[in-house]
Amino acid sequence: MIPPQEASARRREIEDKLKQEEETLSFIRDSLEKSDQLTKNMVSILSSFESRLMKLENSIIPVHKQTENLQRLQENVEKTLSCLDHVISYYHVASDTEKIIREGPTGRLEEYLGSMAKIQKAVEYFQDNSPDSPELNKVKLLFERGKDSLESEFRSLMTRHSKVVSPVLILDLISGDDELEVQEDVALEHLPESVLQDVIRISRWLVEYGRNQDFMNVYYQIRSSQLDRSIKGLKEHFRKSSSSSGVPYSPAIPNKRKDTPTKKPVKRPGAQDGKQMSTCQARHPQGTIRKAQNLLKQYSQHGLDGKKGGSNLIPLEGRDDMLDVETDAYIHCVSAFVKLAQSEYQLLTDIIPEHHQKKTFDSLIQDALDGLMLEGENIVAAARKAIIRHDFSTVLTVFPILRHLKQTKPEFDQVLQGTAASTKNKLPGLITSMETIGAKALEDFADNIKNDPDKEYNMPKDGTVHELTSNAILFLQQLLDFQETAGAMLASQVLGDTYNIPLDPRETSSSATSYSSEFSKRLLSTYICKVLGNLQLNLLSKSKVYEDPALSAIFLHNNYNYILKSLEKSELIQLVAVTQKTAERSYREHIEQQIQTYQRSWLKVTDYIAERNLPVFQPGVKLRDKERQMIKERFKGFNDGLEELCKIQKAWAIPDTEQRDKIRQAQKNIVKETYGAFLHRYGSVPFTKNPEKYIKYRVEQVGDMIERLFDTSA
């Protein structure tokens, strides 16, 4: 049971809580009533706002539509006015641009091209919209006049600013590769940069808008003339310089005039555009033909100072130095053509449209190329005539030219890449002609050596070296500088069969004229041996002209010795040894054989006093008359023979000092020994009352007399 006090307290607590809950409920009820009232008010306001918006929309939409229509009308009016202004402007183009077109583009190309653009647009408008309008004819005429003025300006710029390249500048370009191992590529600046840009803009306009290609003909004609004149100027420079100073040119570069093309460094064109042009290596042997002549002079200083016999071959020593000048000039002109053609192609690529470049370049180089080819054919023709008259010195000019043409051919082929087949074939045709005439010259020379006639009046009276020998050796010496060229000449005519040299398939390529270096060397060696063999046979035949066998031996000795020394001095012996290993030994044997033949001429002198022919007598026994007479005859025969031989042989010549001393000394030893023994035995024998009549010479005097042999000055 809960006590009464606690129950009363709990009831009061519950009543208090109930009262609080009733108050809270009453507050909530009041709040809900207020919220309902506010909601009703808001709904009423929104309904009123919606009604007003609907009324506003119904009023604005028609106004908006009217405004859009008005704006559209305004835009149409503005466009119409703009079109009218644009159309009207075409009617004013002729009057606005006529003065500019009449005055021409000189000095104001930018403004002129702008006017031409306006005229072109007017022409297009009238053609599309009013083809019968008189305005169309007017702007057409103005456009044609403007185009003609641009063509004239193009011609004028090219004519005024295209200058001949000076010879000194050309020589500097083609020789630059030899002066420095590493040198920056250079290109000629044919046109000033500002002029070049104007020319480029005109050419592009004429192609794109003028529909005109005549300017390309103008371009190649002007540039072709400059190229041709530049090369001819170089050739004339050689002639003038040679005639005035004897020096073809000086590499020094003088001060250039303003109108002279200059050099400018350029980057080598990249391979990506296929327009790269390789530089031509300058290989210009100057005075090559004179080299062997100098060798001959050197040998002359060592003893070849006697007179030479005649020959039907024209002497090589007397050749005109102008041949060297012409040869060097032509070689330089070939290199100059390659360099200048490369430069012309680089210039052309900036000015001429790509699909017209090859054809224009082909036309541009024709005159200069034809000039070079014609001059080359003239050289071939001159060589052909020279062969007929046996002037092989002139034929030799073909060798350095042919070598240079073959060395330059790769650059030629690259420069002419893309040109017509007839253009590309010109250089190979010239090379073939030169190889043919060169091979003909080699064969005819060998035949002339073999068939040179034995004319008594042409033979050297003193037995010295025959001119045929010196000419033959000199010719062969000059071939040393052109071994590959001469070998190719022989191979090109399939002369291997002539010399019985089997052709190894490894030594030939697909080309009939392309042989290995080793095969060409063997072929040339065989040819040289053939010439030397022909020469030896001819010398043997010529030696029979001499009635005196001793003089014949001296003649053969001199010629054989000259041949051997010349082979050794010029290194021809190494080339001969390629196919004839014993050639040197063979010549030495021939020389020794002729010395022995010569020595036999003294037997008729020494036989008089030889011991086997001397009378035998007892010392102290008086000589019989027959014995005394025999001794007198021996002394007289010796004296007369000695005097006769010394008189005759003193006029003979042995140009080689070493050989002359050797032969003298050997003969002196033999005669002195024999005469000394004879004099010792009979000098004190009383075989005559006048011993001085028979004992005319002492042993030393005999030696002195022999020492003066082969000496016309003694």
Side-chain angles (χ1 to χ4, degrees), residues 309-375:
S311 168
N312 71 330
L313 296 174
I314 294 179
L316 298 180
E317 301 157 279
R319 71 186 302 279
D320 192 350
D321 285 345
M322 282 305 295
L323 287 176
D324 284 337
V325 175
E326 294 294 332
T327 300
D328 288 342
Y330 186 74
I331 287 173
H332 280 81
C333 286
V334 169
S335 294
F337 172 82
V338 174
K339 277 288 187 182
L340 294 177
Q342 289 173 347
S343 180
E344 288 293 344
Y345 188 82
Q346 292 171 355
L347 178 65
L348 176 142
T349 54
D350 292 330
I351 299 174
I352 304 299
E354 184 174 359
H355 55 286
H356 292 286
Q357 289 173 3
K358 294 297 183 182
K359 182 179 179 180
T360 304
F361 181 69
D362 196 345
S363 301
L364 189 155
I365 62 174
Q366 284 303 314
D367 287 347
L369 182 59
D370 287 343
L372 284 177
M373 296 302 106
L374 177 60
E375 189 172 352

Side-chain angles (χ1 to χ4, degrees), residues 387 395 398-399 402 432-446 485-495 499 527:
I387 292 174
V395 179
V398 172
F399 284 73
L402 176 58
T432 300
S433 297
M434 288 194 171
E435 282 188 335
T436 302
I437 198 65
K440 172 68 173 172
L442 292 175
E443 282 302 289
D444 279 23
F445 182 80
T485 303
M489 285 179 176
L490 297 171
S492 68
Q493 303 302 311
V494 198
L495 295 180
Y499 300 131
Y527 171 78

Side-chain angles (χ1 to χ4, degrees), residues 642-696:
L642 176 65
E643 291 170 355
E644 180 183 1
L645 282 185
C646 288
K647 180 180 179 181
I648 293 173
Q649 295 185 7
K650 185 176 71 172
W652 296 354
I654 299 180
D656 190 311
T657 305
E658 180 182 348
Q659 287 290 312
R660 183 167 64 234
D661 293 342
K662 174 184 175 181
I663 293 174
R664 281 175 177 172
Q665 188 62 41
Q667 199 58 51
K668 185 165 60 173
N669 291 340
I670 295 172
V671 176
K672 285 177 66 177
E673 181 180 354
T674 306
Y675 181 65
F678 178 77
L679 193 60
H680 177 72
R681 176 174 292 189
Y682 295 103
S684 58
V685 174
F687 65 90
T688 179
K689 294 181 180 180
N690 300 310
E692 65 278 357
K693 179 180 178 182
Y694 298 97
I695 308 176
K696 298 175 63 174

Side-chain angles (χ1 to χ4, degrees), residues 464-505:
T464 190
V465 177
H466 198 280
E467 190 173 40
L468 177 69
T469 303
S470 62
N471 282 344
I473 294 300
L474 186 58
F475 186 88
L476 295 180
Q477 285 172 336
Q478 292 176 80
L479 293 185
L480 283 175
D481 289 324
F482 311 103
Q483 294 184 39
E484 291 290 336
T485 303
M489 285 179 176
L490 297 171
S492 68
Q493 303 302 311
V494 198
L495 295 180
D497 294 338
T498 303
Y499 300 131
N500 297 318
I501 296 181
L503 295 180
D504 189 330

Side-chain angles (χ1 to χ4, degrees), residues 19 74 88 181 211 355 394 407 428 460 465 659 665 682:
K19 185 178 181 180
Q74 183 180 5
I88 292 172
E181 293 184 0
R211 305 293 189 271
H355 55 286
T394 301
Q407 290 173 339
V465 177
Q659 287 290 312
Q665 188 62 41
Y682 295 103

Side-chain angles (χ1 to χ4, degrees), residues 587-655:
Y587 272 111
R588 295 193 187 281
E589 290 174 354
H590 287 320
I591 292 170
E592 190 60 34
Q593 181 182 353
Q594 298 309 319
I595 292 176
Q596 294 174 5
T597 301
Y598 162 75
Q599 289 175 343
R600 285 196 289 271
S601 68
W602 281 84
L603 291 178
K604 64 181 181 180
V605 176
T606 57
D607 277 353
Y608 280 106
I609 58 176
E611 186 173 355
R612 64 180 180 275
N613 297 325
L614 297 178
V616 180
F617 60 91
Q618 296 295 328
V621 179
K622 185 177 180 181
L623 298 175
R624 296 192 298 261
D625 290 342
K626 183 179 180 180
E627 293 174 337
R628 287 196 297 271
Q629 184 62 32
M630 183 177 293
I631 294 173
K632 290 179 182 179
E633 290 176 357
R634 294 289 184 269
F635 270 108
K636 186 176 186 304
F638 173 78
N639 293 335
D640 292 346
L642 176 65
E643 291 170 355
E644 180 183 1
L645 282 185
C646 288
K647 180 180 179 181
I648 293 173
Q649 295 185 7
K650 185 176 71 172
W652 296 354
I654 299 180

